[in-house]
C-alpha cells in the first residue's frame, strides 16, 4: 500500500519520438515488475514540436517490442510551460535537452530539471541521439535507458516515492 501521491516524472528528449518514448515505456515496465506502478505517473515530451502527434520512431517501437514493451500508443508532444509545475522530476536525455529545458522553465521552476543518467546513476553522461544512426544505436540507447531506469526506480523507492535533493518538490 502506498498512501503517498504518485511521483510525477517527465522524460524529455528533442523530438519525443526516439529516446523519451523508450524511457517512458522502459521505466513503466521496470516499476511494474517491482510492483510499484501506482507510485509513479510517467509521461514524455520533446523540447521541439516538429513531430507533435506522431507515434514513436519505428526503430524505437521495434527495440521495445523485442523486450516485450509496447510503446505504440504514445504520441509525441512538445514540453509545455505547465509541465514545469505538473512534474516532480523532469529528466533530459542529454545535456542539450537539459539546457533547453532550463532556458524554457518559468522563473524559479527549474529545480526539478536534471540529466537522466546523472540523476539516476551518478553518471554525468548523455543518452545519445540515435535518430541519424542505425539499429545498433537504438539497441545501445535501450540498454542505457534500462540501466538508468533500474537505478532511478531503486533511488526513488529508497525515498518512498519522493524525489530527493535537487529535485525536491517542496518549495
Ligand atoms: P529524439 O530523436 O530526440 O530521441 O526523439 C530525434 C528525433 C527527431 C529528430 C532529432 C532527434 N529530428 O531532427 O527530427
Amino acid at each position: 500500500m502506498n498512501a503517498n501521491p504518485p511521483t510525477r516524472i517527465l522524460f524529455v528528449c528533442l523530438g519525443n519520438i526516439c529516446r523519451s518514448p523508450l524511457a517512458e515505456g522502459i521505466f513503466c515496465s521496470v516499476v511494474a515488475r517491482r510492483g510499484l506502478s501506482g507510485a509513479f505517473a510517467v509521461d514524455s515530451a520533446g523540447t521541439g514540436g516538429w513531430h507533435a502527434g506522431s507515434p514513436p520512431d519505428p526503430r524505437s517501437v521495434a527495440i521495445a517490442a523485442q523486450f516485450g514493451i509496447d510503446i505504440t500508443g504514445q504520441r509525441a508532444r512538445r514540453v509545455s510551460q505547465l509541465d514545469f509545475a505538473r512534474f516532480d522530476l523532469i529528466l533530459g536525455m542529454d545535456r542539450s535537452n537539459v539546457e533547453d529545458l532550463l532556458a524554457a522553465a518559468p522563473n524559479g521552476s527549474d529545480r526539478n530539471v536534471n540529466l537522466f543518467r546523472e540523476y539516476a546513476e551518478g553518471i554525468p553522461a548523455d543518452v545519445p541521439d540515435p535518430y541519424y544512426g542505425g539499429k545498433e544505436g537504438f539497441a545501445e540507447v535501450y540498454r542505457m535507458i534500462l540501466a538508468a531506469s533500474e537505478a532511478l526506480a531503486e533511488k526513488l523507492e529508497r525515498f518512498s516515492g519522493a524525489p530527493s535533493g535537487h529535485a525536491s518538490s517542496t518549495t
Side-chain angles (χ1 to χ4, degrees):
M1 267 308 210
N2 188 349
N4 295 325
T7 300
R8 293 155 302 175
I9 302 174
L10 183 67
F11 293 105
V12 176
C13 60
L14 179 60
N16 192 210
I17 55 168
C18 297
R19 292 165 292 174
S20 58
L22 270 179
E24 179 182 339
I26 293 169
F27 184 75
C28 284
S29 118
V30 164
V31 296
R33 230 187 307 114
R34 291 166 179 251
L36 293 171
S37 290
F40 299 100
V42 183
D43 196 5
S44 66
T47 57
W50 316 282
H51 297 280
S54 298
D57 187 287
R59 297 165 294 177
S60 284
V61 170
I63 191 71
Q66 264 184 47
F67 293 94
I69 299 172
D70 179 7
I71 62 168
T72 56
Q74 295 186 38
R75 293 296 176 268
R77 71 172 182 88
R78 189 175 194 177
V79 171
S80 84
Q81 294 285 291
L82 289 175
D83 287 330
F84 292 95
R86 281 194 188 129
F87 288 91
D88 301 303
L89 199 47
I90 300 179
L91 297 172
M93 294 295 120
D94 64 33
R95 277 165 282 212
S96 126
N97 304 147
V98 169
E99 272 172 31
D100 291 343
L101 284 165
L102 293 175
N107 255 353
S109 69
D110 62 4
R111 69 194 184 284
N112 294 345
V113 175
N114 293 272
L115 184 65
F116 180 31
R117 297 184 70 197
E118 183 167 44
Y119 183 82
E121 304 175 279
I123 301 171
D126 295 342
V127 176
D129 184 350
Y131 187 65
Y132 293 104
K135 272 204 232 162
E136 322 71 51
F138 281 78
E140 177 65 12
V141 157
Y142 183 93
R143 284 191 291 273
M144 271 182 200
I145 291 175
L146 178 60
S149 293
E150 297 280 8
L152 180 63
E154 192 85 35
K155 174 172 175 160
L156 296 181
E157 208 176 339
R158 277 205 303 279
F159 291 112
S160 345
S164 71
H166 183 55
S168 166
S169 61
T170 54
T171 48

